[in-house]
Amino acid sequence: MSADKKIYGLVAEFNDSDLLIKAAEQTQEAGYTKTDAYTPFPVHGLTEALGIKRTILPWIVLTGGILGCLGGFYLQYWVSVEAYPLNVGGRPFNSWPSFIPVTFECTILGAALSAIIGMLSLNGLPQPYHSIFNTPNFERASNDGFFLCIEEQDPKFDKKQTRRLLEDLGAVSVSEVES
Amino acid sequence: MSDSKDKDSILGQAGPLLDSGQTIQSVGDKVTSVIFRKKQPIPWFVVLGIASMLLGSLTLSVVWLLMKGTGVWGLNIPNAWGFAIVNFVWWIGIGHAGTLISAILFLFKQQWRTSINRFAEAMTLFAVACAGMFPLLHLGRPWVFYWLFPYPSTMGVWPQFRSPLVWDVFAVSTYLTVSVIFWYTGLIPDLATMRDRAKNKVGKIVAGIFAMGWRGSARHWHRYEVAYLLLAGLSTPLVVSVHSVVSLDFAVSIMPGWHTTIFPPYFVAGAIYSGFAMVLTLMIPVRSIYGLKSIVTMRTIDNMAKIMLATGLMVFYGYLNEIFFAWYSGNKYESFMMLNRMTGPYALQYWMLILCNGIIPQLLWFRKVRQNVISLFIISIIVNIGMWLERYIIVVTSLHRDFIPSSWDNYAGTIWDWGLYIGTIGFFLFAMMLFIRWVPMIPIFEIREIIHAKTKKTLGTEKKP
């Protein structure tokens, strides 16, 4: 590979998830921070091995739920008390017990929408192009391959040393991926 | 529950998938082969053909209805609610099994659910779509359906939030939206698998667009799993609330036979009951036609039958409870309604309902019946019929004998009622066939996760001694 081509990182392919987890742990220990793994299904222990922080998604969902709840109730309150007060059988305009079902549905709707929108936007999806797709054999990442990538952005990244580390960890192949 | 034993036996029955190191691969092969095969099997074309004909009936019935108005239905006063509500409740009940399987059983970590959840969720979506047609068409002027929603209209009129019918609008539209979100979230990784396996360019592009560039990054999986768990947690109370709200359409009124507090739980149990019956009706033929018996194992089928039995008993308890309270309340309208239900013009339908929903499903106590797919298939269809009759009985027997004998009148669906009803069955089957053809009907990555956990576990135990 010519020197002037910008590379995204070094990607190691593994045949087994245990090897991948071990490799992830080792790279963490070696001090690499800009790493990521690619697997066909969620692998238990990988999140910890890579030192990935817990996502803030639950808080986003909680906020969405609370906003849905307040918004739903306020909508009904405003409609029934301010905009269009109707006397139905002498019930108070703000007959809050009857407003509970719609408030509940709005809570769920707000939370569910923020769950998917939050998950996708934190993940940066939809993203039509990503350098990792240049990895040879990468279609195995959605089938039966396990990949570990150390990005070129990593302060400790060194083409030769990083490659040696990955090879020692039992990778089937290590490839330099263009960005 | 004997947890470890249960899990082992599921995987024991999934046998061939675990034999070689190729297993994670083979699930993908098997599930995507349904989509990538050159030609669909003949039964697929047969069902699609029948469904298309029924769709014709749907179109015709809707067009005629729009031309002439709801007078073409068998409605009259006092029977202002007829097939439209019966079918609405029936369809939405069927939908509930999908959410139950995908959300509630997920929270309970029932691994056998994995092989059927995608399929059942698709069923939910299409059943809810069918359900939604009925109230809309019943509006008489469906083209102004948006009047149901609160929006600042030039008329200055707003919805009446004290009415359960408005609650219904919110419950059903939220249910549909959340079901779509949950279903699509579950699909994203499998669409990536499809993208990477597609052999032609068009397939790659289409699957690629819907997969949104999913690349299986560990960071993504982490957020994905959290999102999926939260969605399951949100769908669980939602599904209970939806059918409760549907039952409140009845229970909030003062009609004898409707005005009871048991309605919400009894409706939810009935919904799950009919939904499981529909999943069985569809899954039994599909798994044998597409050779998915090694993934959708007898274990899953057996468990579904057990849930059907349990919810069936709850529903049957509801029937008995209704009879008891008709007597115990000392209310003459209630007791008249119940006696009339059992001996009046709709006695045949009532006893058919008891037979279909209460008596025949007792056969599910026998292991032999549960293990025999043909008997299960027949029972599931009987339960579907029984649940339809249940809603028919609830709606019609309360309405046709009003408080004032001078306003009594009988009810029967016209050909347009039936045409619309079987038309929606056509719509449902048509949509299911397209789903089977184009979307991976079994969640590939979730099955892989189970297989993976299993193989790691056995390897681990082999190492130990």
Side-chain angles (χ1 to χ4, degrees):
Chain A
M1 198 166 281
S2 59
D4 56 323
K5 264 194 184 154
K6 228 179 120 56
I7 65 162
Y8 173 72
L10 279 172
V11 180
E13 185 184 344
F14 297 89
N15 271 339
D16 184 73
S17 66
D18 286 347
L19 282 176
L20 174 67
I21 292 176
K22 222 189 212 161
E25 278 166 356
Q26 300 276 323
T27 45
Q28 279 303 106
E29 270 168 37
Y32 290 97
T33 47
K34 292 215 177 292
T35 53
D36 205 346
Y38 301 88
T39 56
F41 48 85
V43 174
H44 284 281
L46 191 55
T47 319
E48 294 76 19
L50 280 169
I52 296 172
K53 271 187 274 167
R54 271 196 75 83
T55 170
I56 56 156
L57 189 62
W59 296 103
I60 296 176
V61 175
L62 180 69
T63 315
I66 291 172
L67 287 179
C69 175
L70 296 176
F73 188 85
Y74 183 69
L75 168 75
Q76 297 175 82
Y77 177 85
W78 181 79
V79 165
S80 312
V81 178
E82 312 277 340
Y84 197 62
L86 263 187
N87 187 334
V88 181
R91 288 180 188 82
F93 291 137
N94 176 23
S95 21
W96 65 268
S98 324
F99 299 164
I100 298 297
V102 171
T103 308
F104 175 78
E105 304 300 341
C106 292
T107 310
I108 299 286
L109 186 64
L113 285 174
S114 38
I116 183 154
I117 295 172
M119 185 269 282
L120 290 178
S121 47
L122 287 174
N123 283 350
L125 298 175
Q127 185 176 3
Y129 176 78
H130 191 275
S131 314
I132 195 77
F133 286 112
N134 295 332
T135 313
N137 257 343
F138 196 70
E139 60 285 350
R140 284 188 67 203
S142 72
N143 287 300
D144 60 349
F146 301 88
F147 293 82
L148 181 68
C149 172
I150 298 179
E151 288 162 31
E152 193 261 344
Q153 300 283 317
D154 196 293
K156 279 205 73 178
F157 187 85
D158 176 278
K159 255 188 210 178
K160 277 186 191 140
Q161 273 187 4
T162 309
R163 176 182 278 275
R164 198 172 311 131
L165 173 74
L166 288 171
E167 273 165 358
D168 289 348
L169 289 169
V172 189
S173 67
V174 178
S175 33
E176 218 168 83
V177 174
E178 289 173 40
S179 87
Chain B
M1 268 230 153
S2 54
D3 232 36
S4 56
K5 239 187 181 175
D6 252 30
K7 275 174 197 161
D8 285 337
S9 52
I10 307 167
L11 294 156
Q13 299 213 23
L17 284 175
L18 303 167
D19 278 354
S20 61
Q22 285 282 316
T23 52
I24 285 169
Q25 183 73 23
S26 74
V27 181
D29 291 342
K30 218 164 198 146
V31 177
T32 52
S33 74
V34 173
I35 296 157
F36 293 137
R37 63 194 287 165
K38 281 220 173 70
K39 228 176 127 191
Q40 290 296 309
I42 291 166
W44 186 83
F45 285 101
V46 173
V47 176
L48 193 77
I50 295 172
S52 312
M53 283 193 270
L54 297 180
L55 265 181
S57 156
L58 176 71
T59 317
L60 196 64
S61 311
V62 170
V63 169
W64 188 244
L65 176 80
L66 294 182
M67 282 168 65
K68 295 287 172 180
T70 45
V72 300
W73 289 351
L75 301 175
N76 55 39
I77 300 299
N79 297 295
W81 277 9
F83 265 47
I85 305 299
V86 174
N87 297 337
F88 165 69
V89 181
W90 188 70
W91 274 123
I92 209 146
I94 286 171
H96 278 42
T99 321
L100 183 105
I101 291 171
S102 52
I104 300 182
L105 297 181
F106 177 75
L107 295 181
F108 283 114
K109 295 197 190 298
Q110 294 295 306
Q111 291 189 327
W112 58 269
R113 106 206 218 280
T114 308
S115 55
I116 48 167
N117 79 51
R118 172 84 37 78
F119 189 83
E121 278 174 59
M123 190 193 79
T124 297
L125 296 182
F126 306 136
V128 174
C130 289
M133 285 184 216
F134 287 100
L136 287 182
L137 293 170
H138 201 180
L139 291 173
R141 286 185 283 165
W143 48 92
V144 291
F145 72 95
Y146 54 87
W147 288 3
L148 293 165
F149 292 100
Y151 74 104
S153 75
T154 49
M155 298 173 288
V157 179
W158 290 86
Q160 174 53 262
F161 283 108
R162 296 175 193 87
S163 163
L165 295 176
V166 173
W167 303 348
D168 237 11
V169 173
F170 279 82
V172 174
S173 51
T174 301
Y175 185 45
L176 183 62
T177 314
V178 175
S179 300
V180 171
I181 291 175
F182 198 34
W183 186 69
Y184 186 63
T185 305
L187 258 177
I188 295 170
D190 283 2
L191 288 168
T193 304
M194 292 253 298
R195 171 197 66 204
D196 295 342
R197 282 171 163 256
K199 284 178 193 81
N200 62 50
K201 201 153 190 190
V202 180
K204 251 188 173 32
I205 290 173
V206 173
I209 288 172
F210 285 106
M212 298 194 293
W214 181 262
R215 49 188 190 270
S217 147
R219 285 186 170 73
H220 291 187
W221 276 122
H222 170 56
R223 295 190 190 105
Y224 179 91
E225 283 197 291
V226 171
Y228 198 80
L229 179 68
L230 288 172
L231 282 172
L234 290 166
S235 305
T236 300
L238 177 67
V239 70
V240 175
S241 86
V242 172
H243 226 63
S244 299
V245 166
V246 169
S247 80
L248 292 176
D249 291 344
F250 297 91
V252 168
S253 79
I254 53 162
M255 291 301 291
W258 292 1
H259 192 59
T260 61
T261 46
I262 200 175
F263 257 36
Y266 154 54
F267 265 54
V268 173
I272 294 164
Y273 186 37
S274 63
F276 269 77
M278 189 58 101
V279 178
L280 280 174
T281 309
L282 298 171
M283 205 56 187
I284 287 172
V286 165
R287 71 193 267 279
S288 69
I289 290 166
Y290 286 99
L292 297 170
K293 283 181 182 167
S294 52
I295 299 177
V296 185
T297 56
M298 271 325 281
R299 179 91 203 171
T300 301
I301 301 280
D302 186 63
N303 280 336
M304 283 201 283
K306 281 178 188 161
I307 292 189
M308 221 164 83
L309 177 63
T311 48
L313 289 171
M314 291 179 210
V315 171
F316 197 46
Y317 168 77
Y319 302 153
L320 298 178
N321 184 293
E322 281 184 316
I323 297 170
F324 173 74
F325 274 98
W327 166 73
Y328 189 71
S329 66
N331 181 316
K332 65 180 175 186
Y333 295 103
E334 283 285 341
S335 49
F336 169 75
M337 187 284 302
M338 190 46 77
L339 274 179
N340 181 54
R341 186 182 272 187
M342 290 173 168
T343 58
Y346 299 100
L348 176 68
Q349 284 92 326
Y350 180 72
W351 294 110
M352 280 290 291
L353 143 72
I354 297 294
L355 181 72
C356 291
N357 273 3
I359 315 289
I360 293 175
Q362 301 308 321
L363 289 171
L364 295 174
W365 287 103
F366 301 103
R367 174 176 269 270
K368 272 203 174 133
V369 176
R370 293 198 308 269
Q371 294 285 337
N372 181 337
V373 284
I374 294 171
S375 64
L376 260 184
F377 182 71
I378 294 169
I379 291 176
S380 72
I381 288 179
I382 289 174
V383 170
N384 280 319
I385 296 171
M387 285 309 293
W388 189 86
L389 285 171
E390 179 201 298
R391 278 64 175 253
Y392 187 80
I393 286 295
I394 290 174
V395 170
V396 178
T397 53
S398 283
L399 286 174
H400 82 295
R401 292 291 177 262
D402 212 337
F403 293 99
I404 309 169
S406 64
S407 64
W408 288 0
D409 202 353
N410 283 353
Y411 172 83
T414 61
I415 187 169
W416 300 110
D417 281 305
W418 286 105
L420 189 60
Y421 173 48
I422 58 170
T424 52
I425 295 178
F427 174 86
F428 178 74
L429 289 177
F430 193 83
M432 282 311 285
M433 289 304 115
L434 294 189
F435 160 74
I436 289 173
R437 171 69 187 82
W438 297 109
V439 181
M441 65 171 133
I442 289 171
I444 304 168
F445 84 90
E446 287 186 74
I447 297 274
R448 281 178 171 158
E449 226 182 323
I450 294 180
I451 294 173
H452 182 253
K454 175 70 185 171
T455 40
K456 287 293 161 208
K457 208 167 145 195
T458 44
L459 286 177
T461 47
E462 273 166 17
K463 270 177 205 164
K464 262 175 206 164

PDB file of all heavy atoms in Angstrom, chain B residues 241-264:
ATOM      1  N   SER B 241     -52.842  -2.113  28.104  1.00  0.00           N
ATOM      2  CA  SER B 241     -53.713  -0.926  28.104  1.00  0.00           C
ATOM      3  C   SER B 241     -54.605  -0.888  26.871  1.00  0.00           C
ATOM      4  O   SER B 241     -55.737  -0.456  26.945  1.00  0.00           O
ATOM      5  CB  SER B 241     -52.872   0.344  28.187  1.00  0.00           C
ATOM      6  OG  SER B 241     -52.456   0.756  26.899  1.00  0.00           O
ATOM      7  N   VAL B 242     -54.073  -1.351  25.730  1.00  0.00           N
ATOM      8  CA  VAL B 242     -54.855  -1.203  24.501  1.00  0.00           C
ATOM      9  C   VAL B 242     -56.152  -1.998  24.578  1.00  0.00           C
ATOM     10  O   VAL B 242     -57.237  -1.459  24.346  1.00  0.00           O
ATOM     11  CB  VAL B 242     -54.033  -1.630  23.268  1.00  0.00           C
ATOM     12  CG1 VAL B 242     -54.905  -1.660  22.029  1.00  0.00           C
ATOM     13  CG2 VAL B 242     -52.893  -0.684  23.045  1.00  0.00           C
ATOM     14  N   HIS B 243     -56.056  -3.252  24.948  1.00  0.00           N
ATOM     15  CA  HIS B 243     -57.298  -4.015  24.972  1.00  0.00           C
ATOM     16  C   HIS B 243     -58.173  -3.619  26.154  1.00  0.00           C
ATOM     17  O   HIS B 243     -59.385  -3.767  26.097  1.00  0.00           O
ATOM     18  CB  HIS B 243     -57.044  -5.524  24.926  1.00  0.00           C
ATOM     19  CG  HIS B 243     -57.946  -6.190  23.935  1.00  0.00           C
ATOM     20  ND1 HIS B 243     -57.902  -5.909  22.595  1.00  0.00           N
ATOM     21  CD2 HIS B 243     -58.944  -7.079  24.087  1.00  0.00           C
ATOM     22  CE1 HIS B 243     -58.829  -6.598  21.976  1.00  0.00           C
ATOM     23  NE2 HIS B 243     -59.485  -7.322  22.849  1.00  0.00           N
ATOM     24  N   SER B 244     -57.563  -3.082  27.213  1.00  0.00           N
ATOM     25  CA  SER B 244     -58.382  -2.564  28.310  1.00  0.00           C
ATOM     26  C   SER B 244     -59.200  -1.375  27.819  1.00  0.00           C
ATOM     27  O   SER B 244     -60.394  -1.271  28.109  1.00  0.00           O
ATOM     28  CB  SER B 244     -57.506  -2.130  29.477  1.00  0.00           C
ATOM     29  OG  SER B 244     -56.782  -3.222  29.959  1.00  0.00           O
ATOM     30  N   VAL B 245     -58.542  -0.493  27.062  1.00  0.00           N
ATOM     31  CA  VAL B 245     -59.266   0.668  26.537  1.00  0.00           C
ATOM     32  C   VAL B 245     -60.369   0.210  25.587  1.00  0.00           C
ATOM     33  O   VAL B 245     -61.494   0.710  25.624  1.00  0.00           O
ATOM     34  CB  VAL B 245     -58.282   1.648  25.855  1.00  0.00           C
ATOM     35  CG1 VAL B 245     -59.023   2.665  25.026  1.00  0.00           C
ATOM     36  CG2 VAL B 245     -57.430   2.353  26.883  1.00  0.00           C
ATOM     37  N   VAL B 246     -60.051  -0.795  24.749  1.00  0.00           N
ATOM     38  CA  VAL B 246     -61.076  -1.324  23.850  1.00  0.00           C
ATOM     39  C   VAL B 246     -62.270  -1.825  24.661  1.00  0.00           C
ATOM     40  O   VAL B 246     -63.429  -1.569  24.319  1.00  0.00           O
ATOM     41  CB  VAL B 246     -60.493  -2.455  22.969  1.00  0.00           C
ATOM     42  CG1 VAL B 246     -61.590  -3.196  22.241  1.00  0.00           C
ATOM     43  CG2 VAL B 246     -59.497  -1.894  21.973  1.00  0.00           C
ATOM     44  N   SER B 247     -61.984  -2.520  25.772  1.00  0.00           N
ATOM     45  CA  SER B 247     -63.085  -3.058  26.565  1.00  0.00           C
ATOM     46  C   SER B 247     -63.865  -1.927  27.244  1.00  0.00           C
ATOM     47  O   SER B 247     -65.050  -2.059  27.507  1.00  0.00           O
ATOM     48  CB  SER B 247     -62.559  -4.027  27.611  1.00  0.00           C
ATOM     49  OG  SER B 247     -62.054  -3.318  28.708  1.00  0.00           O
ATOM     50  N   LEU B 248     -63.187  -0.795  27.506  1.00  0.00           N
ATOM     51  CA  LEU B 248     -63.883   0.324  28.139  1.00  0.00           C
ATOM     52  C   LEU B 248     -64.900   0.955  27.196  1.00  0.00           C
ATOM     53  O   LEU B 248     -65.869   1.562  27.648  1.00  0.00           O
ATOM     54  CB  LEU B 248     -62.877   1.381  28.626  1.00  0.00           C
ATOM     55  CG  LEU B 248     -61.993   0.933  29.792  1.00  0.00           C
ATOM     56  CD1 LEU B 248     -60.983   2.008  30.131  1.00  0.00           C
ATOM     57  CD2 LEU B 248     -62.824   0.604  31.010  1.00  0.00           C
ATOM     58  N   ASP B 249     -64.681   0.809  25.887  1.00  0.00           N
ATOM     59  CA  ASP B 249     -65.720   1.258  24.945  1.00  0.00           C
ATOM     60  C   ASP B 249     -67.063   0.663  25.344  1.00  0.00           C
ATOM     61  O   ASP B 249     -68.112   1.270  25.184  1.00  0.00           O
ATOM     62  CB  ASP B 249     -65.409   0.775  23.518  1.00  0.00           C
ATOM     63  CG  ASP B 249     -64.207   1.468  22.930  1.00  0.00           C
ATOM     64  OD1 ASP B 249     -63.805   2.499  23.484  1.00  0.00           O
ATOM     65  OD2 ASP B 249     -63.675   0.972  21.925  1.00  0.00           O
ATOM     66  N   PHE B 250     -67.013  -0.560  25.845  1.00  0.00           N
ATOM     67  CA  PHE B 250     -68.231  -1.246  26.274  1.00  0.00           C
ATOM     68  C   PHE B 250     -68.533  -0.921  27.739  1.00  0.00           C
ATOM     69  O   PHE B 250     -69.622  -0.512  28.088  1.00  0.00           O
ATOM     70  CB  PHE B 250     -68.075  -2.757  26.130  1.00  0.00           C
ATOM     71  CG  PHE B 250     -67.868  -3.213  24.713  1.00  0.00           C
ATOM     72  CD1 PHE B 250     -66.599  -3.339  24.188  1.00  0.00           C
ATOM     73  CD2 PHE B 250     -68.955  -3.522  23.903  1.00  0.00           C
ATOM     74  CE1 PHE B 250     -66.414  -3.762  22.883  1.00  0.00           C
ATOM     75  CE2 PHE B 250     -68.774  -3.943  22.603  1.00  0.00           C
ATOM     76  CZ  PHE B 250     -67.495  -4.069  22.085  1.00  0.00           C
ATOM     77  N   ALA B 251     -67.515  -1.146  28.581  1.00  0.00           N
ATOM     78  CA  ALA B 251     -67.750  -1.143  30.023  1.00  0.00           C
ATOM     79  C   ALA B 251     -68.183   0.217  30.555  1.00  0.00           C
ATOM     80  O   ALA B 251     -68.875   0.295  31.563  1.00  0.00           O
ATOM     81  CB  ALA B 251     -66.506  -1.616  30.754  1.00  0.00           C
ATOM     82  N   VAL B 252     -67.784   1.306  29.897  1.00  0.00           N
ATOM     83  CA  VAL B 252     -68.145   2.627  30.391  1.00  0.00           C
ATOM     84  C   VAL B 252     -69.621   2.936  30.117  1.00  0.00           C
ATOM     85  O   VAL B 252     -70.226   3.755  30.782  1.00  0.00           O
ATOM     86  CB  VAL B 252     -67.196   3.697  29.801  1.00  0.00           C
ATOM     87  CG1 VAL B 252     -67.698   5.101  30.036  1.00  0.00           C
ATOM     88  CG2 VAL B 252     -65.807   3.539  30.410  1.00  0.00           C
ATOM     89  N   SER B 253     -70.198   2.225  29.146  1.00  0.00           N
ATOM     90  CA  SER B 253     -71.623   2.444  28.866  1.00  0.00           C
ATOM     91  C   SER B 253     -72.469   1.805  29.973  1.00  0.00           C
ATOM     92  O   SER B 253     -71.950   1.126  30.850  1.00  0.00           O
ATOM     93  CB  SER B 253     -71.995   1.812  27.537  1.00  0.00           C
ATOM     94  OG  SER B 253     -72.169   0.431  27.724  1.00  0.00           O
ATOM     95  N   ILE B 254     -73.787   2.031  29.913  1.00  0.00           N
ATOM     96  CA  ILE B 254     -74.629   1.445  30.957  1.00  0.00           C
ATOM     97  C   ILE B 254     -75.449   0.276  30.425  1.00  0.00           C
ATOM     98  O   ILE B 254     -76.407  -0.155  31.041  1.00  0.00           O
ATOM     99  CB  ILE B 254     -75.575   2.498  31.580  1.00  0.00           C
ATOM    100  CG1 ILE B 254     -76.367   3.192  30.477  1.00  0.00           C
ATOM    101  CG2 ILE B 254     -74.808   3.493  32.420  1.00  0.00           C
ATOM    102  CD1 ILE B 254     -77.600   3.919  30.990  1.00  0.00           C
ATOM    103  N   MET B 255     -75.054  -0.271  29.284  1.00  0.00           N
ATOM    104  CA  MET B 255     -75.791  -1.409  28.728  1.00  0.00           C
ATOM    105  C   MET B 255     -75.633  -2.633  29.615  1.00  0.00           C
ATOM    106  O   MET B 255     -74.520  -2.937  30.054  1.00  0.00           O
ATOM    107  CB  MET B 255     -75.263  -1.753  27.334  1.00  0.00           C
ATOM    108  CG  MET B 255     -75.553  -0.727  26.269  1.00  0.00           C
ATOM    109  SD  MET B 255     -77.313  -0.432  26.065  1.00  0.00           S
ATOM    110  CE  MET B 255     -77.829  -1.991  25.339  1.00  0.00           C
ATOM    111  N   PRO B 256     -76.734  -3.354  29.853  1.00  0.00           N
ATOM    112  CA  PRO B 256     -76.596  -4.617  30.583  1.00  0.00           C
ATOM    113  C   PRO B 256     -75.691  -5.565  29.795  1.00  0.00           C
ATOM    114  O   PRO B 256     -75.819  -5.666  28.582  1.00  0.00           O
ATOM    115  CB  PRO B 256     -78.023  -5.153  30.669  1.00  0.00           C
ATOM    116  CG  PRO B 256     -78.890  -4.248  29.891  1.00  0.00           C
ATOM    117  CD  PRO B 256     -78.122  -3.046  29.501  1.00  0.00           C
ATOM    118  N   GLY B 257     -74.806  -6.228  30.502  1.00  0.00           N
ATOM    119  CA  GLY B 257     -73.881  -7.129  29.814  1.00  0.00           C
ATOM    120  C   GLY B 257     -72.570  -6.449  29.441  1.00  0.00           C
ATOM    121  O   GLY B 257     -71.572  -7.107  29.179  1.00  0.00           O
ATOM    122  N   TRP B 258     -72.566  -5.121  29.382  1.00  0.00           N
ATOM    123  CA  TRP B 258     -71.332  -4.402  29.062  1.00  0.00           C
ATOM    124  C   TRP B 258     -70.768  -3.707  30.296  1.00  0.00           C
ATOM    125  O   TRP B 258     -69.567  -3.538  30.416  1.00  0.00           O
ATOM    126  CB  TRP B 258     -71.572  -3.318  27.985  1.00  0.00           C
ATOM    127  CG  TRP B 258     -71.892  -3.848  26.638  1.00  0.00           C
ATOM    128  CD1 TRP B 258     -72.017  -5.164  26.277  1.00  0.00           C
ATOM    129  CD2 TRP B 258     -72.136  -3.081  25.450  1.00  0.00           C
ATOM    130  NE1 TRP B 258     -72.312  -5.260  24.946  1.00  0.00           N
ATOM    131  CE2 TRP B 258     -72.403  -3.989  24.413  1.00  0.00           C
ATOM    132  CE3 TRP B 258     -72.159  -1.719  25.173  1.00  0.00           C
ATOM    133  CZ2 TRP B 258     -72.687  -3.585  23.113  1.00  0.00           C
ATOM    134  CZ3 TRP B 258     -72.435  -1.304  23.880  1.00  0.00           C
ATOM    135  CH2 TRP B 258     -72.697  -2.234  22.855  1.00  0.00           C
ATOM    136  N   HIS B 259     -71.690  -3.308  31.167  1.00  0.00           N
ATOM    137  CA  HIS B 259     -71.292  -2.453  32.270  1.00  0.00           C
ATOM    138  C   HIS B 259     -70.705  -3.278  33.413  1.00  0.00           C
ATOM    139  O   HIS B 259     -71.291  -3.415  34.469  1.00  0.00           O
ATOM    140  CB  HIS B 259     -72.529  -1.682  32.743  1.00  0.00           C
ATOM    141  CG  HIS B 259     -72.223  -0.559  33.676  1.00  0.00           C
ATOM    142  ND1 HIS B 259     -71.418   0.485  33.344  1.00  0.00           N
ATOM    143  CD2 HIS B 259     -72.623  -0.331  34.946  1.00  0.00           C
ATOM    144  CE1 HIS B 259     -71.332   1.322  34.352  1.00  0.00           C
ATOM    145  NE2 HIS B 259     -72.042   0.847  35.347  1.00  0.00           N
ATOM    146  N   THR B 260     -69.532  -3.902  33.163  1.00  0.00           N
ATOM    147  CA  THR B 260     -68.938  -4.739  34.209  1.00  0.00           C
ATOM    148  C   THR B 260     -67.467  -4.420  34.350  1.00  0.00           C
ATOM    149  O   THR B 260     -66.806  -4.060  33.381  1.00  0.00           O
ATOM    150  CB  THR B 260     -69.065  -6.242  33.891  1.00  0.00           C
ATOM    151  OG1 THR B 260     -68.373  -6.480  32.677  1.00  0.00           O
ATOM    152  CG2 THR B 260     -70.496  -6.673  33.751  1.00  0.00           C
ATOM    153  N   THR B 261     -66.972  -4.584  35.571  1.00  0.00           N
ATOM    154  CA  THR B 261     -65.567  -4.260  35.810  1.00  0.00           C
ATOM    155  C   THR B 261     -64.635  -5.376  35.364  1.00  0.00           C
ATOM    156  O   THR B 261     -63.430  -5.173  35.277  1.00  0.00           O
ATOM    157  CB  THR B 261     -65.317  -4.008  37.308  1.00  0.00           C
ATOM    158  OG1 THR B 261     -65.961  -5.034  38.033  1.00  0.00           O
ATOM    159  CG2 THR B 261     -65.840  -2.665  37.724  1.00  0.00           C
ATOM    160  N   ILE B 262     -65.178  -6.560  35.084  1.00  0.00           N
ATOM    161  CA  ILE B 262     -64.275  -7.644  34.680  1.00  0.00           C
ATOM    162  C   ILE B 262     -63.841  -7.485  33.230  1.00  0.00           C
ATOM    163  O   ILE B 262     -62.894  -8.147  32.783  1.00  0.00           O
ATOM    164  CB  ILE B 262     -64.936  -9.032  34.902  1.00  0.00           C
ATOM    165  CG1 ILE B 262     -63.842 -10.089  34.943  1.00  0.00           C
ATOM    166  CG2 ILE B 262     -65.957  -9.334  33.832  1.00  0.00           C
ATOM    167  CD1 ILE B 262     -64.330 -11.464  35.267  1.00  0.00           C
ATOM    168  N   PHE B 263     -64.472  -6.577  32.511  1.00  0.00           N
ATOM    169  CA  PHE B 263     -64.181  -6.489  31.080  1.00  0.00           C
ATOM    170  C   PHE B 263     -62.701  -6.287  30.725  1.00  0.00           C
ATOM    171  O   PHE B 263     -62.190  -7.027  29.885  1.00  0.00           O
ATOM    172  CB  PHE B 263     -65.058  -5.410  30.434  1.00  0.00           C
ATOM    173  CG  PHE B 263     -66.220  -5.980  29.658  1.00  0.00           C
ATOM    174  CD1 PHE B 263     -66.869  -7.122  30.105  1.00  0.00           C
ATOM    175  CD2 PHE B 263     -66.652  -5.394  28.482  1.00  0.00           C
ATOM    176  CE1 PHE B 263     -67.940  -7.653  29.402  1.00  0.00           C
ATOM    177  CE2 PHE B 263     -67.726  -5.925  27.774  1.00  0.00           C
ATOM    178  CZ  PHE B 263     -68.375  -7.037  28.232  1.00  0.00           C
ATOM    179  N   PRO B 264     -62.004  -5.306  31.321  1.00  0.00           N
ATOM    180  CA  PRO B 264     -60.612  -5.140  30.885  1.00  0.00           C
ATOM    181  C   PRO B 264     -59.742  -6.402  31.000  1.00  0.00           C
ATOM    182  O   PRO B 264     -59.187  -6.835  29.981  1.00  0.00           O
ATOM    183  CB  PRO B 264     -60.106  -3.978  31.749  1.00  0.00           C
ATOM    184  CG  PRO B 264     -61.346  -3.199  32.045  1.00  0.00           C
ATOM    185  CD  PRO B 264     -62.437  -4.215  32.203  1.00  0.00           C
TER     186      PRO B 264
END
